[in-house]
Amino acid sequence: MIRTLCTILAAGLLASGVSSSANAQLFTSIAPEARTSIINGPAVTYFASSINSGSETLTNCRPVPGPFPAANFSYQTVDAGNQLTGAPNTPVYIAPGATQGFLLSYTPGAVPYADLVDGRITCDQRDSQYTPYLSGTLAIENSGQIPDIIAISATPSGDGVIRLNRAGGAGVMAVAAVNIGVAGEVRIAPQSLGTFPALASFEVCETDASAQCITQRASSLTVTFGANEVRTFAVFARGNAETNIPFYPDIIRVRLVLTATSTGRPVGLTSAALTSPAPASPSRVAGLYGMFFQEPQNARGGSEERLDTGLMAVFPDGRTYLWGRGGIFGGNHSEWLSGTSPAPIQNNRILGDASLVHFSAGAGLSTVDWTINLSPELGSNGRYNGSDLPDGSEFSTITQSGRLRGVWMGNMNQRETPIDSLAGQWSVVSGNQIVGNMTFDAQGNLTSGAFIVGGFTGCRFSGGLAQPDETLNLFSLQLSFSSQNNCGAPFNGNNFHGFTAVDVAAAGAIPSGGRMVMFLQDDEPSERSGFSLLLVKS
């Protein structure tokens, strides 16, 4: 039964993922998505399925173990029914358009292990594309007996995709799980969309043989999962009424995670893609977009990609900012921010239904060219080129072009946030510590601002906020730091500009504890550095 279920699951993951990767020629999915064992225990197996979407035959194709010890890894080809074929550890060719399956075997050694199992396939011509949200996990514990749960999912459309019928609509994923390990207490919870938060909310219940809930819907539930026991669950998704969910099946997924309460590690996992139509009334292009960036590290393909997440802010006049956490573009900085002033090239198209942002970044960012298509119905997608900076530059971190995708964040963009609602005192927070204060008046002017943490005492700053559209939760931002001592790098005597938005779901007055994140870059391109400040309403 497990072999048959894994066949169905691998096929579904592959079908939902290939269409999102037009530039990939070798795409791999893996099932199940989580396994567990103990040191010196029996081998743990997964099924991998790879499709060659290119036009040439790929030769000498074989799975590789990634970070897992190679001496404890083996593989063998399987047919469409996941029955073993060929000889162990023997590479094969994959013809254009063909799909090849493999059985992957990981034998625990004498030391614990906890990492991804990505099912990467390497051929003489190229490697398979790395897809972190379609990878599995493997946890080999030091000692003790733990559950090992094979979980599979199904959707009403039968293709591994939860398709909401409208923006704000509801959908469901059915899950069956069997524990082939020992009995144990397991927490079962849908995982929110970490790449694009707030696109949807999720609940789970346990179901009976008729697929009816036998527990209350909740954000999570905890059960004692018996050995060889089969349990079934339903995961309910509710989309945000103001936000379209583009069809990005490799990065926008609903995951049901089964976690052993004794270790805190996943012992079972299954997922499905999630998508929805655009809202009935098309939204404006301006606003915030949640972004996901991917950059292959070599020309063979995306088997080991660098990833980054961030935001894009598009103002009504076409000014555009891109902010990221530093996973790709940061150089020696933990964050980066690129902006256009006053507007990008071809900004006359920015307010159209199929807008295009096309601009070159300054010296402070390691890319020279971005091309981004925008629409509220489809989100954003595009590519960037590699750096033209000399090798060795602290910003020269990109060696080849990469891909970016984003989602229009309707839940934030549509929040009515008049600028006078920001008036009052805000604390600048780092971790759990208040490191500074800012006070704004009803017009958005910063009437006082200072750091109060040791080493920065006496560092003061001025500036303010401006709101180009009173119906849009998006503000431009200017900050100037005093030239006196104690401001430190990169603040001392420098001017910064950027954007901010209120991160509060409910409309109305911003409550105590409400958050606002500022994203800033240096006004001087040659000194450009990106950083963010978290403000919490006092």
Side-chain angles (χ1 to χ4, degrees), residues 47-124:
F47 290 102
S49 187
S50 296
I51 184 169
N52 176 8
S53 62
S55 57
E56 65 175 326
T57 296
L58 302 179
T59 58
N60 197 30
C61 298
R62 67 276 182 199
V64 292
F68 192 82
N72 292 23
F73 172 77
S74 64
Y75 69 90
Q76 189 167 346
T77 55
V78 296
D79 60 21
N82 276 346
Q83 301 299 313
L84 292 172
T85 62
N89 302 316
T90 302
V92 294
Y93 71 88
I94 306 177
T99 299
Q100 178 62 59
F102 298 90
L103 177 70
L104 313 180
S105 179
Y106 300 79
T107 301
V111 296
Y113 178 88
D115 209 330
L116 288 177
V117 174
D118 60 17
R120 181 164 64 96
I121 309 299
T122 184
C123 306
D124 286 344

Side-chain angles (χ1 to χ4, degrees), residues 166-516:
R166 57 181 173 81
V172 66
M173 172 177 74
V175 175
V178 56
N179 181 13
I180 62 175
V182 302
E185 187 178 74
V186 176
R187 180 177 181 268
I188 299 159
Q191 188 180 79
S192 62
L193 301 166
T195 306
F196 302 114
L199 292 184
S201 59
F202 307 103
E203 292 180 319
V204 63
C205 75
E206 188 168 5
T207 58
D208 60 18
S210 301
Q212 301 300 308
C213 285
I214 58 175
T215 63
Q216 294 293 321
R217 292 191 190 183
S219 59
S220 68
L221 54 95
T222 301
V223 302
T224 299
F225 218 125
N228 298 313
E229 183 179 19
V230 177
R231 287 177 178 258
T232 56
F233 307 91
V235 176
F236 301 92
R238 170 70 69 178
N240 186 296
E242 306 294 345
T243 303
N244 170 52
I245 304 176
F247 187 57
Y248 299 153
D250 56 330
I251 58 175
I252 299 184
R253 302 189 67 79
V254 182
R255 310 181 87 182
L256 185 68
V257 184
L258 297 89
T259 304
T261 58
S262 61
T263 64
R265 296 189 192 277
V267 293
L269 194 158
T270 187
S271 67
L274 177 68
T275 188
S276 76
S281 300
S283 305
R284 71 196 84 188
V285 171
L288 289 176
Y289 293 76
M291 301 299 294
F292 185 80
F293 305 88
Q294 297 171 272
E295 181 197 332
Q297 290 187 298
N298 59 70
R300 289 177 50 82
S303 56
E304 295 182 4
E305 292 189 341
R306 294 193 296 182
L307 309 175
D308 203 0
T309 57
L311 290 173
M312 178 167 64
V314 179
F315 284 87
D317 66 356
R319 287 177 297 134
T320 306
Y321 290 95
L322 281 164
W323 170 84
R325 301 182 186 279
I328 293 179
F329 311 104
N332 290 339
H333 303 285
S334 60
E335 300 175 77
W336 59 272
L337 185 69
S338 174
T340 61
S341 180
I345 300 170
Q346 299 177 334
N347 71 297
N348 60 306
R349 295 182 59 192
I350 198 68
L351 298 181
D353 291 336
S355 302
L356 178 69
V357 178
H358 182 97
F359 64 96
S360 295
L365 188 66
S366 54
T367 61
V368 295
D369 186 56
W370 302 76
T371 302
I372 309 170
N373 295 294
L374 296 175
S375 77
E377 292 80 11
L378 300 177
S380 59
N381 63 83
R383 303 196 66 81
Y384 57 83
N385 291 335
S387 175
D388 66 348
L389 300 177
D391 290 340
S393 166
E394 65 172 318
F395 299 109
S396 184
T397 60
I398 295 179
T399 58
Q400 60 185 63
S401 64
R403 183 185 186 192
L404 55 93
R405 285 173 286 176
V407 173
W408 194 81
M409 300 174 65
N411 59 305
M412 290 189 65
N413 295 327
Q414 300 285 57
R415 186 189 192 278
E416 293 187 7
T417 311
I419 197 167
D420 59 6
S421 68
L422 307 184
Q425 184 172 334
W426 297 72
S427 298
V428 183
V429 177
S430 178
N432 294 321
Q433 182 182 10
I434 295 177
V435 299
N437 292 297
M438 293 188 186
T439 301
F440 296 95
D441 65 18
Q443 288 72 48
N445 300 306
L446 180 60
T447 57
S448 66
F451 287 132
I452 59 175
V453 68
F456 289 88
T457 304
C459 176
R460 300 187 177 278
F461 37 89
S462 59
L465 305 168
Q467 187 178 33
D469 185 338
E470 294 182 355
T471 66
L472 187 65
N473 178 25
L474 182 62
F475 304 85
S476 59
L477 171 67
Q478 293 283 339
L479 280 185
S480 297
F481 288 81
S482 64
S483 59
Q484 305 298 319
N485 293 330
N486 296 330
C487 279
F491 310 114
N492 204 41
N494 289 333
N495 301 314
F496 295 84
H497 66 280
F499 67 96
T500 188
V502 174
D503 187 9
V504 177
I510 301 171
S512 176
R515 307 195 318 166
M516 178 168 60

